[in-house]
Amino acid sequence: MTLLHLLILFPIIAVVFIVTLGQLAPRLHLGWAALVVPVVLFAAFLTMVPTIAGNDTISGTIPWITELDLHFAVYLDGLSLIFALLITGVGSLVVLYSIFYLSKKRESLSHFYSFLLLFMGAMLGVVLSDNLMVLYLFWELTSISSFLLIGFWYRRKKSQYGAQKSFLITVGGGIAMLVGFIMLQVMSGTNSVQEIIAMRNSIQGHELFVPALILILLGAFTKSAQFPFHIWLPDAMEAPTPVSAYLHSATMVKAGLFLVARFTPVFGGEATWFWLVSGVGIFTMFWGALFAVKQKDLKALLAYSTISQLGLIMSLFGLGSAALHGGASTDSVVYTTAIFVALFHLVNHSTFKGALFMIVGIVDHGVGTRDIRKLGGLMTLMPVTFTLAVISSFSMAGLPPFNGFLSKEMFFTATLTAKEMNFFSMDTWGMMFPVIALAGSVFTFTYSMVLVFKTFAGRYKRDKLEKNPHEAPIGLLISPIILCSLVILLFIFPNQLSKYLLAPAMNGILPTFQGIEGLIPKIYAWHGFNTELLMTAIVVVLGFVLVRTFKYWKEIYDLFPQRISIDQGYQNLLAFSESTSNSITNFYMTGFLRHYLFYIYGFLLIVLSGTLFLTGSIVINTADDAQIGIYEVLLVLIMATAAVSILFTKSRMTATLLNGVLGYSIAIFFVLFRAPDLALTQLVVETVTTVLFLLCFYHLPEWSKEDRNLKVRIPKMVIAIGMGVLTVLISLSAQGNKLFDSISSFFEDSYELAGGRNIVNSILGDFRAFDTMLEVVVLFIAGVGVYTLIKLKSPQGGDTNERK
Amino acid sequence: MIESEIIKLIGAIMVLLGSIMAIISAYGLISLPDVYTRSHAGTKSSTLAVLLTLTGVFIYFLAAEHYLSIRLVLGIVFLYLTAPVAGHLICRAAYVSGIDIKKEITEDEIHENEYQTYRE
Amino acid sequence: METLITLLVGVLVSVATYLLLSKNLIRVVLGTAILSHAVHLLLLTMGGLKTGSVPILEDGVGTYTDALPQALILTAIVISFAVTAFFLVLVYRTYQTAGTDNLNEMRGSSDE
Amino acid sequence: MRENDVILQTVSKVAVFIILTFGMYLFLSGHHNPGGGFIGGLTLSSAVILLYIAFDVESVNKGIPVDFKLVAAAGVLISVLSGTGALLFGADFLSQSFAYFDLPLLGKTELTTVVLFEAGVALAVVGVVVTILINISEDV
Amino acid sequence: MNNILVFPMVIPVITGVALLFFRSYPAVQRWSTIAAMLSVFAISLWILEDVRSNGIMRLDFGGWTPPFGITFVADSFAMLLVAAASFVSLICMLYAVFAGDKRREYYFQYTFMLLLIAGVNGAFLTGDLFNLFVCFEVMLLASYVLMTLGGEKKQLTEGIKYVLINILSSWLFLLGLAYVYGTLGTLNFAQLSLRIAEAGQPPILTAISILFLAVFSLKAGLVLYFWLPGSYSALPTAVSALFAALLTKVGVYALFRTFTLLFYHEPSITHTIIGWMAITTLAGGSLGAIAYVDIRKIAAYNVVIAIGFILVGLASNNAAGIQGSIYYLVHDIVIKGLLFLIIGTIIYLTSNARLDRTSGLITNYPILGWIFLITTLSLGGVPPFSGFAGKLMIGQGAISSGEYVMVGAAFLSSLFVLYSLIRIFLNMFWGEVLIPRKHQIPLPFPLLAPLVVLAIVTIGLGLGMDFMAPYVTDAATVLMNPEVYIEGALDNE
Amino acid sequence: MTTIIFTTAIVLFCVAIGMALVRVIKGPSLPDRVVSFDVIGVNLISVVAVLGAILNTAAYLEVILIIAILAFISTIAFSKYIERGVIIDRKRNN
């Protein structure tokens, strides 16, 4: 048990205290208690910065299930540390913010903070785990806590919908990821991520390598809302705003990015990895930005913006993974910049997006709506909020002097570098990256401007608002203020961040590159007139034009009709699978016993005869048969006649009589085959059964005619004859294949062993008395069962539930 | 020894007679026209047949194994006891359930007397 | 002999199967009864027929017929009796309650 | 119609007596001859069936005032407990033992615990068969 | 001389039968049932521990050494199942006791439940093929009676189908038994295994094994699960939980025994067929699970899915897969019991089995709601609940034997499981609160307690899997190495 | 010699059973069938008896008696069924 374990478990254990506290001190706003947790954690992780910056790592293991190689193994390197700090830092701010955002009276705060802390622990678990399966555990736990938080207002239909969607997509992705993990485990024989990274070369050629890669990426893409799995994120905005700020922009959705970063040393350099990560990422970036512009709901806008930004970072990780293609060398270092930028932007995005969400929350709180069409002119009414909004959204748009500018510029650099690659068919397709990046950025600029100016500038529409807008209380403002100061601070001192956090993280992602010159680029706000700057200029100009002319070109969204949108596709898929499965299941689960018997017999006939013929097991050997007497033939004929005529009788009595004839004749066969005990039993049982039939007939109607319909009769006949033939074939083959002698000669000493001359009876009463005992139990159950069946009648005759 | 062989043979012949009787009785069962006559053939002569057979087997065992089978005697007694009752019950059941007697065979005597009340 | 009995078993199985597929419950019950006959015969046949004398120890008799299948069949007969009895009563109780002995009318509500 | 079952009832009384004797014989001789607990029990119950057919449930029950469910239960318990009894002697469950005694008058006699087991079996069989029959007949 | 082995079967039998004499004393019935189950559970734990430390335990009935007499053979696999089954039965019994259905109690409900458990435990323990048949019959007859106990129309009409299909499968079983005896001349599992190995499993035996496959599939609900959804939805809560937890598992157990101990020489035929059957089952179950709005049906199809999932492990035919299946079996016994208890409780509370007619239950019954969520996650194999270890190992097994279709089907089915149950959660527990607090039917703690216990167990099993691991490993070792079983079951020192 | 006679006798019995079976199948009335069923039972007794003689064993003598008993019981059961539809009365009304 190391400190790291404690840190992961701390929030989860704190849940118990929060719940208890909620019971004990109902007047306390639980947020204050909850706030302690992330603050303490943040401080703890901060103390680890120097260690990690010194290129050290911290690890520890608690054994869990040794047999399955499941250990609670933790590993802290630069990459984990960035995430851990984000989780706890943003966490602290969000909790602080939520204290003022959520009313103590109306909301079930103990649930809220329990879920939130649960999530925090889970997220820390994800980024700190070194064991694949434990990673998966925490991964699913984040999905679940996200599910619970999205459904926090569980009475709303939309919350249900959003929660279900995010659950299905992220957990589904998680399952795919699990399969990928298992494949990795099968390939490498270990569950430890670090060991797998070390074994990279030996597993690379394995046939499961690429499938595992794809499956793990599925997990990452679903979690990070990459196209086409992004659809859950906008609906997740049903969660309370602090949750959106925390889970759905700053932390949980970044778990996918973390996963990609974590597995870059394993899969990086593989063309599939490169293309999937960067391609999906860049496309998502464009797609998200494009759709963000059209959103009417501020939170939805931010959701699409988040999707877009996540895509951006994802594509950077993809581009950077190319560095591993050629192995660790100074030549490859140019490509590693992309990864560096990815990490940088990751941090930046958390700062400005977190702030933006909080700002939207403030607006929502203050005016009672997030609908852009109703908002406007809040600039003077909420000046502080407005300032913060400008800072954060300009940063998002990539304007100086904010940190977004730096990472956006470097993003362009990375795409331009990637264009120059001469492998992975980049010479043909490479141009795509800067172009799409540019286009995406234009839209990013556009929606950032929409966000600020549609809300705060323009005409003030008081009549459309529910509340009288006013500046938010200071409590709500603290958190976004802190974040916005970070936005500016990071612009001014980017290289401090780089030194203490980004550089160690680079070592974590690219362990083989450690120490190679140029791995950690210097970040400059100004690097002369170059293509990147030109691109930024284009972005600003075009973006500005687009904002002004929005109403003229918004028709292009109609090119993506609602019917065939991905979101609609998801809904259709669900509806389709429900209705299809319903019709399929109803198709064969008809409720008709006869159909079920058809299936069972059909299965038997097909599989059994298939095996019989394919394995060539039909060997008929009648040499050992006993001789046949003429009267035996007669008896067989009599029995066959009696049996077959049962099918044609018109009265149930005749059938019962014929059945009796059958039973008696079988008794005669038992006599013929030297089995007097059997004959006796068979005779009595047959008679008692016949009497039973007669008794029951009193309660039953005469039997009706069977279907004359050939469509029913022919399959029945085919199956019946088929079963008969099959039985005969197997029986004959089995008789022709007597492999061993029976053990029963042992029982011939029954007089000495058990003191009985009647062997059969000695077997029943002694050698296999247990069978007999159970058989009596069976009989007993049947007897008492008949009694209850007859006596215990349903009072109403129809269906009743118990205890009614 | 010869003596016992002869006794065995007697037993066997009784069995054979019994079997022939059974065939006759079965023929009657098939060819007679209505329930009552058929039941006559079925119960009376079949019983005779089986009694013949059993006695034959009894004699046979006595001669061949010097085995006096009480159970066989019991069986014979039981058959004697029950066969008529069974025949009686079936015929009565047939009558009560309303199966007509073939007119050309006989007259329905019971109808006019005992069961009249029931019929109405 | 074994072959002959096996063929008989085949006939019985066919008949039983055909009856089991009926919609009328009594036929179905009869089907199960006949099926059990068939299986018992087969079980006996598989042990070998007429290979010795009655499995009751007597002096001077060398070989006995395999007694184990006989014991098994005895158990099976009793079990089949128990099952048949229960099934039969179930059938008529169902008839009383559901008002039909036609399996096709016992679909059970798929979605109530 | 006044049902007239005099013939049947008279014969049945005799027949039942024969069947009961025979059933007991089958039960007891099972160790060395065909028969045993099952067959004995079944034969005994067929005697009871005959009684029920010839007479009626109420009058027979008046004659034999037993709850046959409990007879069955007792039978099962006897056979199971006879197996458990072996445990007391440190033997395997269901171990049976037999011994020969020289009894006065009877000469060499075999006593075996199987009889107890088989008695349980027979009781259970009778109990079950009769329970089933009575209950069906009583059902309206 | 291991007479203790017989107790898991004989205690329920004796108690059950003796209860007949205490018909008018419901209290005696209730508490002696609980006491019996408690002792069975304790004994089975004791045996389990003993088996792991001292190897396979055997009881020769009547002192007749195998292969001539009947034996009970307890290996870890059997004992794990016995212990799990006894435990869940105990809980179900508790639920039944607290639910206090007077009518059914008066008609010997507990007797039949106990006998059902006796049959199940016997089937797990027996080392003799014919005795397995007899144990099946004990279990089945008890289940027939329980199925119809109460005489409701639905019970009877569904009962007919259930009974008939099982009768059919019983006779097929006997047919297969006849073949096995005819060709191999013995009934003792261990000796059968030896003889089959000696003969090298000629084609005819493979064909016979397919017959057994069909029979046990019918019992287990593998592909041939047609009887299952209807019958499970016509039962009172405790009984349905008992059925869901135990009945199919016996079939699964038999499949494992048969195809690891006896017919393991032709995996390219038998195990391939099993694999495809598992895939079909997974597909059918998954479709069924999302097809209906009747929560009982949803739960019933979840039973089907689990069967397919477990059989994937058998079809993989390697140590990891088998081990995974064992984990999953134990988990599934617990969690299916829990699921059906919850479903039954919901129906009892709302008088409604459709998921779209009730909502907001979490406000009315918060604990029930959270337990349901835990159940959902546990069923979906989400860690740290009990389903995860099994799921993981089955996945590993299937992947390492290259059965990718099975892997796909198995893991996709987890998504269906989650979807089908989260749908219930979202619709019934979340949403507008329809039942005002004043009018809600109280959910007394005794009724809730069994659910809570099972929920704790599923978490505890998940977290404390390390505790179970040695038993599972031991069980898998025996399954993978028939000679170990044979030595334990046949060795007459 | 005796064996030949016995065998012939069994064959004849079997033929008789077969003929009775024809009557069971043909009917036409239920009592017809029951009578023939009874005949079959009685003939079976003979068959068993003779078989016992052929196989030279007393083991089947019980079977003979039991068939006799059971044939009787089933015959009266059938006839009561035909007569009243109920074979076991709850309470006789006389």
Side-chain angles (χ1 to χ4, degrees), chain E residues 394-444:
Chain E
I394 289 176
Q396 278 183 15
I399 289 174
S400 26
S401 60
E403 303 282 0
Y404 302 124
V405 185
M406 281 201 287
V407 178
F411 282 84
L412 208 58
S413 77
S414 306
L415 194 58
F416 278 90
V417 169
L418 285 170
Y419 176 55
S420 67
L421 292 168
I422 212 74
R423 213 159 63 113
I424 300 181
F425 184 76
L426 288 171
N427 281 301
M428 299 193 92
F429 285 96
W430 283 4
E432 280 309 318
V433 182
L434 294 183
I435 311 171
R437 250 170 214 280
K438 279 180 292 186
H439 297 145
Q440 73 187 43
I441 301 169
L443 179 58

Side-chain angles (χ1 to χ4, degrees), chain D residues 4-118:
Chain D
N4 185 345
D5 284 336
V6 178
I7 307 177
L8 174 61
Q9 290 176 355
T10 319
V11 174
S12 293
K13 278 177 198 162
V14 185
V16 164
F17 180 72
I18 297 178
I19 300 172
L20 282 178
T21 322
F22 183 56
M24 281 312 288
Y25 164 77
L26 280 177
F27 167 62
L28 290 173
S29 72
H31 219 48
H32 300 304
N33 286 306
F38 268 118
I39 300 164
L42 281 166
T43 314
L44 291 178
S45 43
S46 70
V48 184
I49 296 175
L50 182 56
L51 272 184
Y52 279 112
I53 295 181
F55 297 90
D56 59 304
V57 175
E58 283 198 8
S59 36
V60 178
N61 282 0
K62 221 176 281 167
I64 323 170
V66 235
D67 185 346
F68 281 95
K69 282 193 300 299
L70 298 186
V71 172
V76 177
L77 280 182
I78 289 174
S79 52
V80 177
L81 290 175
S82 83
T84 323
L87 269 57
L88 299 178
F89 300 98
D92 280 320
F93 185 78
L94 275 176
S95 288
Q96 316 283 13
S97 61
F98 60 94
Y100 301 96
F101 299 94
D102 275 320
L103 294 181
L105 295 178
L106 292 172
K108 190 182 169 194
T109 308
E110 185 189 3
L111 281 180
T112 142
T113 53
V114 177
V115 173
L116 195 62
F117 180 76
E118 299 260 346

Side-chain angles (χ1 to χ4, degrees), chain E residues 87 331-332 334-335 338 371 374-379 382 384-388 451-465:
Chain E
F87 174 70
H331 148 77
D332 201 52
V334 174
I335 202 69
L338 178 55
I371 294 179
I374 290 174
T375 314
T376 304
L377 298 173
S378 183
L379 273 166
V382 173
F385 302 108
S386 54
F388 180 61
L451 310 186
V452 175
V453 171
L454 284 177
I456 291 172
V457 167
T458 184
I459 299 172
L461 267 185
L463 289 174
M465 201 53 93

Side-chain angles (χ1 to χ4, degrees), chain E residues 33-278:
Chain E
T33 306
I34 299 294
M37 281 322 297
L38 211 59
S39 51
V40 168
F41 178 53
I43 288 173
S44 56
L45 280 186
W46 193 87
I47 304 175
L48 175 64
E49 177 54 35
D50 200 58
V51 166
R52 191 186 60 82
S53 42
N54 300 332
I56 291 175
M57 207 190 241
R58 192 181 85 203
L59 166 63
D60 305 332
F61 284 101
W64 301 110
T65 50
F68 306 110
I70 296 172
T71 48
F72 262 13
V73 181
D75 62 346
S76 290
F77 180 44
M79 282 323 294
L80 270 174
L81 293 182
V82 170
S86 309
F87 174 70
V88 174
S89 323
L90 172 65
I91 302 292
C92 292
M93 293 287 199
L94 271 175
Y95 188 94
V97 164
F98 291 126
D101 186 341
K102 296 245 164 33
R103 259 174 4 110
R104 290 193 168 90
E105 275 181 350
Y106 188 63
Y107 285 94
F108 314 119
Q109 173 174 233
Y110 300 122
T111 300
F112 296 120
M113 285 169 107
L114 283 167
L115 291 171
L116 178 84
I117 292 155
V120 170
N121 284 347
F124 286 146
L125 284 171
T126 188
D128 185 280
L129 192 56
F130 190 76
N131 195 242
L132 180 68
F133 169 76
V134 180
C135 289
F136 265 167
E137 289 304 314
V138 172
M139 171 189 97
L140 285 176
L141 262 155
S143 76
Y144 299 161
V145 179
L146 283 172
M147 178 89 214
T148 51
L149 189 67
E152 287 158 19
K153 184 178 163 189
K154 185 161 188 204
Q155 283 190 310
L156 293 173
T157 50
E158 291 299 328
I160 287 263
K161 297 173 197 168
Y162 173 76
V163 172
L164 184 62
I165 289 180
N166 276 301
I167 289 178
L168 180 63
S169 83
S170 292
W171 295 130
L172 290 175
F173 190 173
L174 214 49
L175 208 64
L177 216 141
Y179 296 144
V180 165
Y181 183 75
T183 44
L184 297 168
T186 183
L187 295 166
N188 183 287
F189 277 140
Q191 202 187 15
L192 281 175
S193 173
L194 274 181
R195 289 190 168 186
I196 293 172
E198 196 179 322
Q201 195 174 339
I204 182 68
L205 285 180
T206 310
I208 294 170
S209 77
I210 299 298
L211 187 60
F212 279 104
L213 175 62
V215 171
F216 296 141
S217 301
L218 264 173
K219 313 259 186 210
L222 178 67
V223 180
L224 309 173
Y225 52 79
F226 313 106
W227 53 272
L228 200 148
S231 26
Y232 278 21
S233 50
L235 295 170
T237 308
V239 177
S240 73
L242 204 58
F243 274 34
L246 303 185
L247 283 192
T248 52
K249 307 303 178 298
V250 179
V252 174
Y253 168 83
L255 279 173
F256 271 80
R257 255 303 167 250
T258 329
F259 288 94
T260 57
L261 181 64
L262 306 181
F263 305 108
Y264 59 92
H265 303 277
E266 290 280 2
S268 61
I269 299 172
T270 49
H271 289 67
T272 311
I273 296 179
I274 294 176
W276 283 106
M277 288 171 79

Side-chain angles (χ1 to χ4, degrees), chain A residues 331-510:
Chain A
D331 296 339
S332 305
V333 161
V334 284
Y335 306 121
T336 62
T337 315
I339 292 181
F340 181 82
V341 185
L343 290 169
F344 187 36
H345 194 70
L346 188 91
V347 177
N348 294 345
H349 176 248
S350 299
T351 55
F352 62 69
K353 190 54 66 63
L356 277 173
F357 266 107
M358 290 175 185
I359 290 160
V360 167
I362 291 170
V363 171
D364 190 9
H365 224 247
V367 300
T369 182
R370 305 189 303 247
D371 193 330
I372 291 180
R373 284 163 300 191
K374 297 181 185 167
L375 293 167
L378 296 176
M379 201 190 297
T380 47
L381 294 162
M382 310 170 88
V384 185
T385 318
F386 169 65
T387 319
L388 295 173
V390 168
I391 295 173
S392 43
S393 55
F394 276 28
S395 174
M396 178 159 77
L399 294 176
F402 309 111
N403 56 2
F405 171 71
L406 298 178
S407 42
K408 182 63 72 70
E409 291 274 286
M410 292 178 79
F411 166 55
F412 289 145
T413 317
T415 54
L416 290 170
T417 325
K419 183 168 67 88
E420 310 297 326
M421 279 183 208
N422 51 5
F423 45 91
F424 293 159
S425 336
M426 279 298 276
D427 30 10
T428 19
W429 297 96
M431 198 50 211
M432 198 180 78
F433 284 94
V435 172
I436 299 181
L438 186 64
S441 300
V442 170
F443 285 108
T444 307
F445 183 86
T446 312
Y447 69 70
S448 302
M449 294 308 122
V450 167
L451 176 66
V452 184
F453 293 107
K454 287 266 166 80
T455 315
F456 294 98
R459 198 166 50 82
Y460 172 48
K461 300 159 220 169
R462 173 66 190 91
D463 47 326
K464 289 186 178 166
L465 303 179
E466 290 168 22
K467 294 185 191 164
N468 223 348
H470 54 84
E471 185 54 87
I474 182 68
L476 274 179
L477 287 171
I478 298 174
S479 298
I481 287 175
I482 295 176
L483 285 171
C484 284
S485 3
L486 274 175
V487 166
I488 299 168
L489 278 175
L490 285 179
F491 178 77
I492 304 171
F493 308 109
N495 291 313
Q496 297 307 108
L497 180 78
S498 166
K499 182 178 167 199
Y500 286 105
L501 289 178
L502 303 185
M506 286 297 281
N507 291 335
I509 298 176
L510 302 167

Side-chain angles (χ1 to χ4, degrees), chain A residues 64 67 154 160 185 578 582 586 588 591 731 738-739 741-743 766 768 771 778 787 799-800 802-803, chain E residues 23 64 99 128 131 141 152 161 179 181 183 185 195 225 237 291-292 348 363 396 419 431 463 466 473:
Chain A
W64 178 22
E67 202 69 42
Y154 60 87
Q160 280 180 45
Q185 205 266 352
E578 270 174 41
N582 188 286
N586 276 337
Y588 72 92
S731 311
K738 272 196 184 306
L739 301 167
D741 282 336
S742 167
I743 51 166
D766 202 339
R768 297 180 69 93
D771 272 349
V778 169
Y787 169 76
D799 285 62
T800 48
E802 57 194 307
R803 290 232 308 190
Chain E
R23 190 172 187 189
W64 301 110
D128 185 280
N131 195 242
L141 262 155
E152 287 158 19
K161 297 173 197 168
Y179 296 144
Y181 183 75
T183 44
R195 289 190 168 186
Y225 52 79
T237 308
Y292 296 103
Y348 157 66
T363 313
Q396 278 183 15
Y419 176 55
L463 289 174
D466 201 33
T473 317

